[in-house]
Amino acid sequence: MEVYTFDKSLQERLVELTEILSSRGKIVPASQIQAEWSYHIELVIEPVGWQALWKIPRLVCEDFQIHYPTIVVVVVEQVDFNALNALVKITAVQDEIHLPEKYDVPLVELYPTHNQENTALDMVGTASCIDQLRFFYNYLWMPWDIDDDDNTDWVSVHLETRIRLFFDMKRGVVSKETSDVIRSLVREGREIQQRISRLEDTISEEEEGSHIDIVDGGTACQLMKLHFRLQQIKREMEVLENPAMREILVKNRVSSLTADKIEKQESKEKCMEGHFVWLGGTLEEMKEAIDKVQASLSSKLFFKISGSLQETLHTCEAGDIIVLGDGSHQIKGAGNLEEGGTIKGIHNLEQTILSVKDTEIVPSVLDFSGSEVLLENITVDVDDLRAAVIVRAGTTKIVNCKICALNQSVVKLGVVVLPNAKLIIENSLFDGLGTGLVIYSNGEVLMSNCNFKNCAEGIQLYDNAKLVATKCLLGYFKEYAIRFETRKYLSNLESKCGSLELLDNISEVALHDCKFEGNGKGDVTLKPGKVFALTTKQDEPEKMES
């Protein structure tokens, strides 16, 4: 099924949204924004009887215990214009999954299809309106906006500035580092707003139950801290939204980094730098750890010792080597090693664990886009994030590692390889994940001696993705060992499930001495290609194909 897609310029977005939100010539404060959208969609969107694809969100998939991403065909039975929702009836699913017959869905999750039973419907207008709504709430509306003063015109203050910020980030006008900061702040703000809402609901329920106007001191204190942090984020974002202020900050940062680089070069001979992260222990244990480091690395390295992996990632240079002592190391991303370098454990990999401290800030534990990255002898725990490792560009090598979700979930991903990136993975284990390995179109994976344990699915790949697997055990999955999302190898767009014979004519996949056994739904499934996600760090609308 083909869906409507829109690729609009900055000026088109600005004109459309200004017309929608300011058409009545009144000041529109933040508290009135949703009402303005309600007025508009009631005039434009067809109220009933149209077909769409519902891209089920990750958290809903987790609630239903189904594969993510999952897309189903729905028919809209009623639109709630005030809530910006629709009651839909699910009419077709690709997999054998159990879903409610009807469900309330936010309009922004629906993608109207070209083919409709009722050809009298204005589906171009409906699809365009939903696209406008989705763009606005995904990229322009901020979680702190609702607290704005009602005397302030939200449209004149924020609309153009935020649209320009979105397009500047998309075009690369805003530096990568600044873009990362902006996305992190927005993600954190949204998470905080959700936590505030949950706490306020809890307080209301407690007060109603006791009939006494008493708020628990700890809860009130937590609520106050969250509001304070949200205001901090708001002030930081107000600076970053301003193009002139962004330019000043970027110039400041560049000059600061240049000064730091000169200072480093003056303080030591030019050579590769190593960092030993040691969380503490007895002198004897430290001596033993240093002996292991010395035995495994070049004596020519200029070495430093640190007590924090996060600080080390922030201060090191791309290409440096980080050696980890045992323990749980909490980070906020790959830092400067995102562009290349080595993270290596020297103890048992089960005792050297990487996880993220603030799960609302980043989508994955590690995110690499450098020319050459090596992870060796460590455990990477997804925790509550979407993925453990994202490989965006260059070559990432993972050796003798464990990629896992200690709190298992059907929607969590192990390693995601994006277009034109390459992954070499050896002697590693995927444990407790929804999907162990995802390879997007034109991505390449060479894997050998790898195993999977307690995973819903093993490998998911798309047309033109290359996979070469040698001596791997692909067994005991809840669903399939290999899921191939393809339009290239399916003539009638109907799914196929079965044995390895389904891969016989697929040149992109080569399996050597691999074992398949005990898989819940089958060894291989070919599904009609439908979703391409995580293609950029910027959370742009995910492209859909069907």
Side-chain angles (χ1 to χ4, degrees):
M1 291 182 182
E2 189 179 359
V3 298
Y4 289 91
T5 58
F6 302 88
D7 183 15
K8 297 177 180 177
S9 68
L10 185 156
Q11 196 61 34
E12 286 174 319
R13 291 289 187 189
L14 180 58
V15 170
E16 287 179 348
L17 294 174
T18 302
E19 178 65 24
I20 290 168
L21 298 173
S22 301
S23 60
R24 297 190 297 162
K26 296 180 179 180
I27 288 178
V28 182
S31 59
Q32 185 65 21
I33 289 290
Q34 184 169 329
E36 294 297 320
W37 275 109
S38 298
Y39 299 145
H40 178 70
I41 67 172
E42 191 167 3
L43 294 172
V44 178
I45 290 182
E46 294 287 353
V48 66
W50 45 277
Q51 180 178 271
L53 299 185
W54 174 31
K55 194 177 132 212
I56 304 179
R58 182 170 64 93
L59 294 179
V60 177
C61 286
E62 190 164 21
D63 289 340
F64 289 147
Q65 286 297 295
I66 59 175
H67 178 81
Y68 178 82
T70 289
I71 292 177
V72 297
V73 182
V74 300
V75 172
V76 173
E77 295 197 336
Q78 181 182 348
V79 176
D80 185 340
F81 299 107
N82 291 326
L84 310 181
N85 286 346
L87 176 65
V88 302
K89 181 179 181 181
I90 297 171
T91 59
V93 298
Q94 280 195 332
D95 296 312
E96 295 178 7
I97 55 178
H98 301 288
L99 296 171
E101 183 182 0
K102 297 182 180 181
Y103 203 82
D104 276 314
V105 176
L107 285 169
V108 297
E109 295 173 6
L110 297 178
Y111 295 79
T113 60
H114 280 260
N115 295 327
Q116 300 284 334
E117 287 188 14
N118 186 350
T119 56
L121 296 173
D122 177 15
M123 291 316 301
V124 174
T126 296
S128 178
C129 184
I130 292 176
D131 173 76
Q132 293 161 347
L133 185 71
R134 182 162 44 240
F135 179 83
F136 179 84
Y137 277 104
N138 281 353
Y139 309 117
L140 308 184
W141 181 257
M142 298 299 169
W144 49 83
D145 284 345
I146 197 62
D147 296 326
D148 277 358
D149 192 330
D150 271 359
N151 295 320
T152 302
D153 183 13
W154 188 95
V155 177
S156 62
V157 173
H158 296 298
L159 184 61
E160 182 172 355
T161 302
R162 289 186 182 169
I163 291 177
R164 290 192 181 281
L165 175 62
F166 170 84
F167 278 94
D168 282 351
M169 291 172 67
K170 183 178 179 180
R171 296 165 180 165
V173 175
V174 179
S175 71
K176 175 181 164 301
E177 293 80 4
T178 304
S179 295
D180 287 348
V181 170
I182 290 170
R183 282 188 287 269
S184 295
L185 288 172
V186 173
R187 274 193 294 265
E188 185 182 359
R190 286 178 176 157
E191 173 68 18
I192 287 173
Q193 186 60 60
Q194 290 172 5
R195 288 161 66 186
I196 288 172
S197 297
R198 288 195 294 267
L199 282 173
E200 288 176 342
D201 290 342
T202 302
I203 290 171
S204 298
E205 290 170 5
E206 289 174 354
E207 287 180 350
E208 288 175 8
S210 63
H211 303 287
I212 301 173
D213 190 14
I214 297 175
V215 178
D216 175 73
T219 304
C221 183
Q222 187 179 1
L223 200 56
M224 183 177 66
K225 287 180 178 178
L226 290 173
H227 277 290
F228 180 68
R229 175 57 185 151
L230 196 60
Q231 287 304 307
Q232 284 183 312
I233 293 172
K234 177 183 177 181
R235 288 193 292 272
E236 290 180 57
M237 280 299 298
E238 284 173 349
V239 173
L240 292 167
E241 283 175 16
N242 185 313
M245 292 303 298
R246 281 203 306 273
E247 189 175 349
I248 292 170
L249 289 172
V250 168
K251 286 180 179 177
N252 225 9
R253 185 179 183 278
V254 170
S255 61
S256 175
L257 288 174
T258 303
D260 288 346
K261 193 170 183 180
I262 292 171
E263 187 178 339
K264 281 185 179 181
Q265 287 177 344
E266 289 176 348
S267 65
K268 62 181 177 65
E269 292 181 9
K270 188 176 181 181
C271 63
M272 187 183 295
E273 195 166 280
H275 307 263
F276 177 39
V277 180
W278 172 249
L279 298 182
T282 65
L283 287 173
E284 188 62 33
E285 288 169 337
M286 187 174 186
K287 181 179 181 301
E288 181 184 342
I290 289 175
D291 287 343
K292 287 184 178 180
V293 175
Q294 189 175 11
S296 61
L297 295 174
S298 168
S299 59
K300 294 181 180 180
L301 280 174
F302 182 88
F303 247 93
K304 294 180 179 179
I305 295 180
S306 167
S308 165
L309 176 57
Q310 177 57 40
E311 290 179 9
T312 302
L313 289 169
H314 179 70
T315 58
C316 73
E317 295 289 332
D320 284 355
I321 297 174
I322 297 177
V323 181
L324 300 180
D326 61 0
S328 181
H329 300 268
Q330 292 189 321
I331 60 176
K332 295 181 182 179
N336 291 328
L337 255 64
E338 181 179 314
E339 299 299 329
T342 298
I343 303 178
K344 178 178 181 178
I346 55 169
H347 292 89
N348 185 302
L349 68 90
E350 299 278 359
Q351 298 173 345
T352 310
I353 303 170
L354 263 64
S355 62
V356 167
K357 183 176 182 181
D358 299 314
T359 55
E360 69 273 13
I361 293 177
V362 291
S364 63
V365 183
L366 295 166
D367 195 319
F368 297 119
S369 53
S371 57
E372 199 168 320
V373 175
L374 171 63
L375 299 180
E376 186 175 355
N377 206 41
I378 58 175
T379 293
V380 183
D381 176 21
V382 179
D383 199 18
D384 291 326
L385 298 175
R386 169 79 195 280
V389 180
I390 297 176
V391 183
R392 296 186 183 274
T395 300
T396 293
K397 188 172 183 179
I398 299 176
V399 179
N400 193 38
C401 289
K402 179 178 177 181
I403 311 296
C404 69
L406 295 180
N407 49 343
Q408 295 180 22
S409 169
V410 71
V411 302
K412 292 175 182 175
L413 309 178
V415 183
V416 179
V417 182
L418 296 183
N420 304 311
K422 182 176 181 178
L423 170 70
I424 301 170
I425 182 164
E426 302 170 355
N427 305 311
S428 294
L429 172 68
F430 297 87
D431 187 5
L433 300 158
T435 304
L437 177 63
V438 180
I439 317 167
Y440 283 94
S441 180
N442 298 314
E444 181 180 359
V445 172
L446 306 177
M447 63 187 304
S448 60
N449 295 299
C450 292
N451 294 332
F452 295 79
K453 178 182 176 185
N454 302 319
C455 294
E457 283 191 339
I459 302 169
Q460 179 173 340
L461 64 159
Y462 296 84
D463 280 332
N464 302 315
K466 183 177 180 181
L467 169 68
V468 178
T470 305
K471 295 182 179 178
C472 295
L473 174 60
L474 293 141
Y476 307 102
F477 296 105
K478 180 181 176 182
E479 298 184 17
Y480 304 98
I482 295 178
R483 174 191 288 258
F484 194 178
E485 303 276 356
T486 178
R487 299 181 72 177
K488 188 175 176 181
Y489 295 103
L490 286 177
S491 57
N492 56 5
L493 295 182
E494 286 193 9
S495 300
K496 294 181 180 179
C497 302
S499 67
L500 297 183
E501 291 178 357
L502 288 174
L503 300 174
D504 284 349
N505 297 319
I506 297 177
S507 60
E508 296 96 331
V509 179
L511 305 173
H512 308 290
D513 299 323
C514 294
K515 292 183 179 179
F516 292 74
E517 54 189 40
N519 294 312
K521 293 185 178 180
D523 293 339
V524 177
T525 181
L526 272 57
K527 300 281 185 180
K530 54 188 179 184
V531 177
F532 297 90
L534 281 170
T535 54
T536 63
K537 278 193 171 181
Q538 182 155 324
D539 299 321
E540 296 176 355
E542 293 168 334
K543 297 178 182 177
M544 302 179 59
E545 296 187 7
S546 53

